[in-house]
Amino acid sequence: MTEDELIATYPRLYHMAHDGAWDAIRSNGLMSTAALLDAYKVIDPRRESLFSKRRPESVPLAAPGLPGAVLRDQKPMHDSALAGCLDDGLTRQQWYELLNSRSFFWLSKQRVWRLLKAKAYRGVKQTVLTIDTAGLVNAHKADIWLSPINSGSTLFKPQRRGLQTFKRVVDFPYAERRKSRTKENNVVELVVDHMVPDIADHVLAVHSVRNDQILGEIWRSPTATEADKP
């Protein structure tokens, strides 16, 4: 897949954050778990627990001079199921560390709404960012990976995952997968190593969302269109 194909096929990306997260994201960037643990100076043994193991619940972080932050729970993951679908000799700890070292984006609205309506998040207000794919890809092309699966879930029938799950854009077999998959199920995730410090430059709109409803618009870029929403 080329970068031009990625941008043309998936012109918008989406990220779901906790309610009230936009001000901190706009000021400090979109941080992975690893980046947040660095910024908030979380050290072992707490750091190991949050970085290398499943988080059954969301975890608030606080530090002098920094806004409050939340590490998203990993409820869609289950240790026993994860152990059964890992390849390449990876351990559960290594998979959690891989996920926690990156920032994640959905490439379809359908995936966002599916997550919003999932049992774990149903009824809880969330903040959804709509992002310009071209801007983010052009700014961070060296740090971008694509995934063909929801790498943070082992619900239902867990898909195999390993060292080859995340591929660089040029190595992703989009054309081959297109023969048997819809656009939504072809490229499922776009991830960026560590963090996206300039995410505010690429965000087109920010909405408050709960269940299957958009509750309101929090922020909108002058370059956004009416279609820029989850």
Side-chain angles (χ1 to χ4, degrees):
M1 190 177 203
T2 67
E3 290 173 2
D4 287 343
E5 287 175 325
L6 174 64
I7 292 166
T9 308
Y10 303 98
R12 298 292 182 261
L13 302 170
Y14 305 91
H15 178 83
M16 188 177 94
H18 70 277
D19 181 40
W22 170 236
D23 286 343
I25 291 173
R26 178 166 53 180
S27 298
N28 302 315
L30 184 64
M31 298 186 181
S32 65
T33 293
L36 284 167
L37 293 174
D38 289 345
Y40 285 77
K41 301 187 183 336
V42 179
I43 60 175
D44 288 336
R46 190 182 185 216
R47 183 187 179 96
E48 180 185 7
S49 176
L50 296 176
F51 181 62
S52 303
K53 299 178 181 179
R54 175 180 180 265
R55 293 188 298 276
E57 301 292 340
S58 293
V59 178
L61 297 177
L66 293 175
V70 175
L71 296 181
R72 173 75 67 182
D73 67 76
Q74 294 170 313
K75 289 180 180 178
M77 298 284 280
H78 295 281
D79 284 344
S80 58
L82 178 60
C85 65
L86 285 172
D87 295 326
D88 306 315
L90 289 177
T91 65
R92 292 176 299 188
Q93 175 180 331
Q94 289 172 320
W95 190 255
Y96 285 123
E97 291 175 351
L98 187 155
L99 298 184
N100 287 329
S101 66
R102 291 169 169 171
S103 299
F104 285 76
F105 303 88
W106 298 111
L107 290 93
S108 74
K109 292 183 179 183
Q110 294 93 328
R111 293 272 177 179
V112 178
W113 287 113
R114 194 175 304 166
L115 184 61
L116 286 164
K117 293 185 284 187
K119 182 178 179 181
Y121 308 115
R122 198 179 304 148
V124 180
K125 191 187 298 184
Q126 308 284 349
T127 297
V128 176
L129 281 58
T130 300
I131 297 143
D132 175 50
T133 304
L136 188 141
V137 168
N138 289 330
H140 298 280
K141 59 182 65 181
D143 299 318
I144 286 175
W145 305 80
L146 302 179
S147 169
I149 67 170
N150 179 348
S151 60
S153 175
T154 57
L155 297 177
F156 310 114
K157 185 179 179 180
Q159 299 183 63
R160 305 300 305 180
R161 62 205 68 196
L163 297 177
Q164 298 303 311
T165 296
F166 296 97
K167 295 183 181 295
R168 295 298 190 184
V169 176
V170 68
D171 297 322
F172 193 88
Y174 177 79
E176 178 183 341
R177 289 172 56 80
R178 185 170 56 184
K179 298 174 185 176
S180 59
R181 292 170 175 82
T182 63
K183 185 171 70 172
E184 175 193 349
N185 294 312
N186 196 329
V187 187
V188 174
E189 298 172 332
L190 182 149
V191 305
V192 180
D193 289 330
H194 199 56
M195 66 178 293
V196 185
D198 63 343
I199 189 65
D201 294 341
H202 313 300
V203 174
L204 293 168
V206 183
H207 289 85
S208 177
V209 182
R210 183 173 56 217
N211 292 347
D212 59 353
Q213 294 184 327
I214 295 177
L215 301 179
E217 187 174 273
I218 298 171
W219 183 87
R220 174 169 289 271
S221 166
T223 61
T225 70
E226 286 300 315
D228 288 323
K229 57 187 176 182

